[in-house]
Amino acid sequence: MTNVTSAKSVRRPHHWRRDLVELAALFTAVAVADALANMIAHGPDGAFLLVASAVALIATAMFHTWWARRHGHAPPPSGSPAPPAPDAREGAAPAEPVETTLWRMRTTVRDEPGSLAALCTAFATHHVDILTLQTHPLADGTVDEFLLRAPSALQAKDLTREISAAGGSSTWIERADAHDLVDTPTRVLGLATRTALDAAELPLSLRQLLGRCTIRSRPAGSLADRSAGESAPVEGVLDGTEMRLNDPHGGSIIVERPYLPFTPTEFARARALVELDARLGPRIPRSQDVLTLPEGEEITIRRADRGDLDAALAMHARCSERTLGLRYHGPVGDADRYLNHLLSPRFGRTLAVETESGRLVALGHLLWDGDETEVALIVEDTWQRRGIGSELLGRLVALAVEARCGSVYAVTQASNTGMVATMRDLGLPLDYQIDEGTLVITARLEPTTARVLPPYGDSEMFDHEQVDR
């Protein structure tokens, strides 16, 4: 605790020498004044001269006061407020707003006093405002991560050059957006909450935590996992631009970011999210929507996982070979092998459609494919052309928008006019690529124009009722 002593309670030393000097000066002044008064008073017209001198002194003092106040040279009266700043006075033109740009920057500095101060001085010289700062300690230095607001006229290369001159090395910079304004503790807590509520959120949370990166899940015993050697240990492995985390559901999670090495701090945060997912076990949101088709039949849309594998296999058995071929683009006999992968929350999200009797009649998948996102649909033959596919696709796109995906793509056949029409009904910009009969349709997502369906919006096709279980 800091000891603070009031100035009034401090006994100041008595300066007796100064008092003697002041007293001597006073007696000298009185003696001189008395001598002058006696000389004038005993002379001819002495009284008149005294009065005239007094009047002249008073007049001179008044004139001096008037002149000083008229020309603004007089000091302000005691206790008066300070005058406003020049740019804050009435009639002053307000400063013109400067257009700014948000940047995210990382640079490595020596771990010594003054290194951060040198960077801050370089920022201040170019009117760059530091909004947030994170430090990532390394073995031989420190990585400083900034969120900056800089004048738009300041180019990235110029800012990088100034930081290099101030002692920064391995500098990386990219444009930021409004989402980056959320402070790091709040953002991490939000990602942890999303992961706790839904196991399918783990890949998305890792991507938002670590920035632009590629996340791949390798099941235990897969060919890719065997070719990479042993599975990741419990504590994980950090190797420059790649980290391998042990998947609690088996296998490993590979996170790659070729443009920027991971730091031990980021590795610790990612491992904490994975450990949280492992402790909570399998889980998906249990909310569901009850919709009424135009024919009057009710269907239920809910999240699905590997617990619905048997019901999905039964739906496959009721589907025609043409429906399975249009969905899986391969031998019909291999269709059942894909379901265990597709229903895993580690690889994406799945929506299921059930009838009133509980029979599964449709599935919609939103799959994380590295940096891209795939949508896929299958509807049982007797339930096709009732709007179920459009409802599922709209919900999957809404989930992709919520996950901040830039686009989604669907792989189908050129002869699948139903899927093509369903993609067009989204009302989003579409790109088409055809290769030997395989059609890839990519929809660019625009949150302000996407047709978001319940529970994220309204639909005119069905009557909706939301149920939480």
Side-chain angles (χ1 to χ4, degrees), residues 292-310:
T292 302
L293 298 175
E295 296 83 358
E297 299 171 293
E298 288 188 351
I299 59 173
T300 301
I301 298 182
R302 61 172 178 82
R303 287 284 300 277
D305 59 6
R306 286 176 172 171
D308 298 290
L309 179 59
D310 293 337

Side-chain angles (χ1 to χ4, degrees), residues 159-173:
L159 189 56
T160 302
R161 183 174 59 252
E162 293 297 328
I163 294 304
S164 298
S169 62
S170 302
T171 302
W172 166 86
I173 187 172

Side-chain angles (χ1 to χ4, degrees), residues 154-388:
L154 186 62
Q155 300 296 321
K157 59 180 181 181
D158 300 329
L159 189 56
T160 302
R161 183 174 59 252
E162 293 297 328
I163 294 304
S164 298
S169 62
S170 302
T171 302
W172 166 86
I173 187 172
E174 73 169 0
R175 287 287 185 94
D177 57 23
H179 296 92
D180 296 309
L181 294 174
V182 180
D183 63 284
T184 301
T186 302
R187 183 160 55 93
V188 172
L189 286 174
L191 296 178
T193 301
R194 293 175 55 178
T195 303
L197 295 175
D198 189 352
E201 289 287 340
L202 179 60
L204 295 177
S205 297
L206 289 174
R207 182 179 298 178
Q208 294 186 19
L209 176 67
L210 303 172
R212 291 186 294 109
C213 59
T214 301
I215 300 176
R216 297 184 176 89
S217 294
R218 292 177 177 172
S222 65
L223 180 60
D225 193 53
R226 291 196 299 268
S227 63
E230 299 180 355
S231 60
V234 175
E235 65 274 9
V237 176
L238 174 61
D239 184 14
T241 59
E242 177 180 303
M243 67 172 70
R244 298 184 65 194
L245 303 168
N246 186 47
D247 192 339
H249 302 286
S252 57
I253 300 174
I254 311 298
V255 186
E256 298 175 336
R257 190 174 63 187
Y259 66 94
L260 188 64
F262 293 109
T263 65
T265 302
E266 291 177 313
F267 178 66
R269 293 172 180 171
R271 190 173 60 183
L273 271 181
V274 174
E275 290 176 355
L276 173 65
D277 178 74
R279 288 181 177 274
L280 295 176
R283 64 211 176 276
I284 59 172
R286 293 300 176 183
S287 62
Q288 58 187 27
D289 286 334
V290 178
L291 286 69
T292 302
L293 298 175
E295 296 83 358
E297 299 171 293
E298 288 188 351
I299 59 173
T300 301
I301 298 182
R302 61 172 178 82
R303 287 284 300 277
D305 59 6
R306 286 176 172 171
D308 298 290
L309 179 59
D310 293 337
L313 290 172
M315 182 192 69
H316 273 190
R318 297 189 299 268
C319 290
S320 64
E321 292 187 359
R322 182 178 183 277
T323 296
L324 294 176
L326 290 175
R327 166 61 186 90
Y328 295 106
H329 324 295
V332 176
D334 295 338
D336 293 347
R337 294 193 300 108
Y338 303 130
L339 283 176
N340 193 54
H341 171 87
L342 294 173
L343 292 173
S344 171
R346 184 64 71 242
F347 302 101
R349 296 172 177 173
T350 299
L351 298 179
V353 178
E354 289 181 339
T355 63
E356 293 181 88
S357 62
R359 189 173 70 177
L360 192 68
V361 296
L363 288 173
H365 305 285
L366 184 69
L367 304 172
W368 319 129
D369 183 15
D371 295 331
E372 300 177 334
T373 306
E374 179 183 1
V375 290
L377 303 173
I378 182 171
V379 181
E380 189 178 323
D381 294 62
T382 55
W383 291 85
Q384 293 178 5
R385 301 189 183 280
R386 299 191 185 187
I388 295 178

